[in-house]
Amino acid sequence: MRPVGVWQWSLWGLLLCLLCSSCLGSPSPSTAPEKRAGSQGLRFRLAGFPRKPFEGRVEIQRAGEWGTICDDDFTLQAAHVLCRELGFTEATGWTHSAKYGPGTGRIWLDNLSCSGTEQSVTECASRGWGNSDCTHDEDAGVICKQAHSVRVP
Ligand SMILES: *[C@@H]1O[C@H](CO)[C@@H](O)[C@H](O)[C@H]1NC(C)=O
C-alpha cells in the first residue's frame, strides 16, 4: 500500500515539473533576439543639411523606426553621450530648433537628462521613449569632436 502512494506522488511531481518547465521555458527564446549589449539594439545616425560629417540632427532607430530627439532640456552632457553612441569620443556643442532641418517619424526622446558619463543613452533620464509634446521644429543636433574611433556616419 505504502510504496504505491509514494510512487503516485513522484508521478505527480514529475508531471508538475514538466508543466512548470514548459511554462517558464517558453518566453525566453522569443525575447532573446531583442537583447543586445549596450544600447538595447538601438542605432544612431547624423542627418540633415547643411552639415559636416561630424555634426547633424541626431536620429535614433528603435523598434525598427527612425526618430529624433527634442531640444527641451538638452545639454552638452547629453551631446557627449550621443556622440559616443555615434562612434565619436565627445561633443563640442549641440544645436536646437532643428538647425539641420526637421526630421520625420517619431520623436523618441524628450527632456533628455544625462550626466555625461553614461555608457549609453538608455541610462539617461527622459520623459520615456516616444513620450514627447514637441514638433520636429525642435529637433536637437550635436557637433561631435572631429576625430572618431569606429563608424563613419
Ligand atoms: C521639459 O523641458 C521643458 C523645457 O525646459 C520644460 O518646460 C518642461 O517642464 C520639461 N518637462 C518635463 C516633464 O520635465
Side-chain angles (χ1 to χ4, degrees):
M1 214 57 163
R2 198 114 181 110
V4 178
V6 170
W7 182 230
Q8 279 179 335
W9 277 117
S10 43
L11 277 175
W12 277 114
L14 186 68
L15 195 65
L16 276 169
C17 277
L18 286 170
L19 282 169
C20 284
S21 59
S22 64
C23 289
L24 294 171
S26 51
S28 45
S30 55
T31 52
E34 273 183 44
K35 282 187 181 157
R36 272 180 234 176
S39 294
Q40 300 173 2
L42 301 176
R43 294 177 68 197
F44 298 82
R45 69 184 179 193
L46 289 169
F49 181 86
R51 67 179 187 91
K52 300 194 182 76
F54 52 87
E55 65 179 3
R57 182 176 64 243
V58 180
E59 298 195 341
I60 304 179
Q61 190 190 46
R62 183 176 185 269
E65 283 186 74
W66 284 101
T68 62
I69 302 174
C70 181
D71 61 16
D72 281 351
D73 284 351
F74 203 88
T75 59
L76 185 62
Q77 283 68 36
H80 283 319
V81 177
L82 289 164
C83 280
R84 285 201 296 273
E85 295 272 29
L86 286 154
F88 299 88
T89 55
E90 61 180 320
T92 60
W94 61 278
T95 64
H96 60 88
S97 309
K99 158 122 197 251
Y100 302 100
T104 56
R106 305 287 297 260
I107 296 170
W108 275 128
L109 291 170
D110 190 4
N111 292 83
L112 184 61
S113 176
C114 309
S115 73
T117 57
E118 291 88 349
Q119 295 296 306
S120 160
V121 76
T122 60
E123 294 163 36
C124 299
S126 73
R127 290 168 64 148
W129 290 98
N131 183 18
S132 170
D133 58 3
C134 297
T135 69
H136 281 295
D137 291 330
E138 296 164 86
D139 281 347
V142 293
I143 303 148
C144 300
K145 199 173 171 186
Q146 214 170 335
H148 55 80
S149 49
V150 195
R151 274 160 278 170
V152 179

